[in-house]
Amino acid sequence: MALVPCQVLRVAILLSYCSILCNYKAIKMPSHKTYGGSWKFLTFIDLVIQAVFFGICVLTDLSSLLTRGSGNQEQERQLKKLISLRDWILAVLAFPVGIFVVAVFWIIYAYDREMIYPKLLNNFIPGWLNHGMHTTVLPFILIEMRTSHHEYPSRSSGLTAICTFSVGYILWVCWVHHVTGMWVYPFLEHIGPGARIIFFGSTTILMNFLYLLGEVLNSYIWDTQKSIEEEKEKPKLE
């Protein structure tokens, strides 16, 4: 009985991300027309990651329903590959990048919004869309972690993957600055080279920490759930 609500929930989340992406791309902001377009913003990259992840979740659910009871070993093998891909994306990208975007955006916004989200953007991005990009990512990914168990890769390979993503994005941001002379995020204009190096290094460390946090949280949720189920299955003493 629990499977159907989970399927519906994932479809709803996927449609939400598709709506957010479509509305965001429809906005005629000057930054969308400059070098790199929307792809220079981590928020947009994260939205794509989340949409792809929940798309794979929906595809996994559909495949599971279609192959259930079929006894086809090849279909079951392909389903296992799909589940492994789903779990890997959540562990390495969807959780750490999603939580990073939410946490860093609102921390800097609370300190000085002009450093990351100037008031000028209110003329282009409505409030609901801003929260769709920078707030709802957190509850959506936590709901997914709570409703389904995900197998994490080995810690070394997972940390290597998230480090590769982090360094790759930092290099991309630096390349955009090299080509255009402008930093993607306004606050980078106001700090020196040394401070930028410290910031970039700190973000990579934070990404690694968030990966480990996801691993611990996933284990805690499902170890606790397993313990509760085991307690329920114990015969009651007369």
Side-chain angles (χ1 to χ4, degrees), residues 90-123:
L90 177 126
V92 173
L93 294 174
F95 183 87
V97 177
I99 304 303
F100 178 89
V101 167
V102 173
V104 172
F105 176 84
W106 287 113
I107 289 172
I108 298 177
Y109 185 98
Y111 177 74
D112 183 357
R113 67 166 295 174
E114 293 298 317
M115 295 177 68
I116 195 167
Y117 193 80
K119 291 181 179 179
L120 177 66
L121 291 179
N122 290 341
N123 299 324

Side-chain angles (χ1 to χ4, degrees), residues 4-135:
V4 174
C6 288
Q7 289 177 321
V8 173
L9 187 61
R10 286 168 178 154
V11 170
I13 293 174
L14 174 60
L15 292 176
S16 297
Y17 277 122
C18 290
S19 175
I20 291 169
L21 281 167
C22 289
N23 279 276
Y24 179 76
K25 291 298 290 183
I27 296 173
K28 296 180 179 179
M29 287 197 304
S31 59
H32 288 180
K33 299 178 181 178
T34 57
Y35 184 82
S38 303
W39 291 98
K40 57 180 173 285
F41 300 111
L42 186 59
T43 293
F44 178 77
I45 295 173
D46 177 51
L47 288 175
V48 173
I49 290 172
Q50 302 299 330
V52 169
F53 169 68
F54 279 100
I56 292 175
C57 286
V58 171
L59 183 60
T60 302
D61 287 338
L62 288 174
S63 299
S64 179
L65 289 172
L66 292 174
T67 59
R68 181 172 296 172
S70 66
N72 189 312
Q73 292 184 352
E74 178 59 24
Q75 288 182 342
E76 291 179 359
R77 189 171 66 84
Q78 294 301 325
L79 177 60
K80 288 180 180 179
K81 287 183 178 181
L82 197 58
I83 292 173
S84 295
L85 176 62
R86 179 200 67 182
D87 293 350
W88 187 89
I89 292 177
L90 177 126
V92 173
L93 294 174
F95 183 87
V97 177
I99 304 303
F100 178 89
V101 167
V102 173
V104 172
F105 176 84
W106 287 113
I107 289 172
I108 298 177
Y109 185 98
Y111 177 74
D112 183 357
R113 67 166 295 174
E114 293 298 317
M115 295 177 68
I116 195 167
Y117 193 80
K119 291 181 179 179
L120 177 66
L121 291 179
N122 290 341
N123 299 324
F124 300 96
I125 303 176
W128 71 267
L129 186 56
N130 178 34
H131 284 291
M133 296 187 296
H134 299 114
T135 305

Side-chain angles (χ1 to χ4, degrees), residues 63-211:
S63 299
S64 179
L65 289 172
L66 292 174
T67 59
R68 181 172 296 172
S70 66
N72 189 312
Q73 292 184 352
E74 178 59 24
Q75 288 182 342
E76 291 179 359
R77 189 171 66 84
Q78 294 301 325
L79 177 60
K80 288 180 180 179
K81 287 183 178 181
L82 197 58
I83 292 173
S84 295
L85 176 62
R86 179 200 67 182
D87 293 350
W88 187 89
I89 292 177
L90 177 126
V92 173
L93 294 174
F95 183 87
V97 177
I99 304 303
F100 178 89
V101 167
V102 173
V104 172
F105 176 84
W106 287 113
I107 289 172
I108 298 177
Y109 185 98
Y111 177 74
D112 183 357
R113 67 166 295 174
E114 293 298 317
M115 295 177 68
I116 195 167
Y117 193 80
K119 291 181 179 179
L120 177 66
L121 291 179
N122 290 341
N123 299 324
F124 300 96
I125 303 176
W128 71 267
L129 186 56
N130 178 34
H131 284 291
M133 296 187 296
H134 299 114
T135 305
T136 58
V137 174
L138 176 59
F140 284 169
I141 203 67
L142 290 179
I143 288 170
E144 171 59 27
M145 290 192 78
R146 179 62 184 83
T147 55
S148 297
H149 177 259
H150 298 273
E151 290 290 338
Y152 265 62
S154 67
R155 183 167 292 180
S156 59
S157 63
L159 290 175
T160 299
I162 191 60
C163 279
T164 301
F165 175 85
S166 302
V167 173
Y169 181 69
I170 290 169
L171 293 175
W172 169 233
V173 168
C174 293
W175 177 255
V176 171
H177 175 261
H178 172 74
V179 173
T180 65
M182 299 288 291
W183 287 104
V184 173
Y185 303 102
F187 71 90
L188 292 173
E189 300 279 359
H190 304 291
I191 59 178
R196 288 192 201 105
I197 292 172
I198 294 173
F199 174 77
F200 288 144
S202 299
T203 57
T204 303
I205 293 172
L206 179 57
M207 282 285 200
N208 281 267
F209 171 77
L210 291 173
Y211 172 85

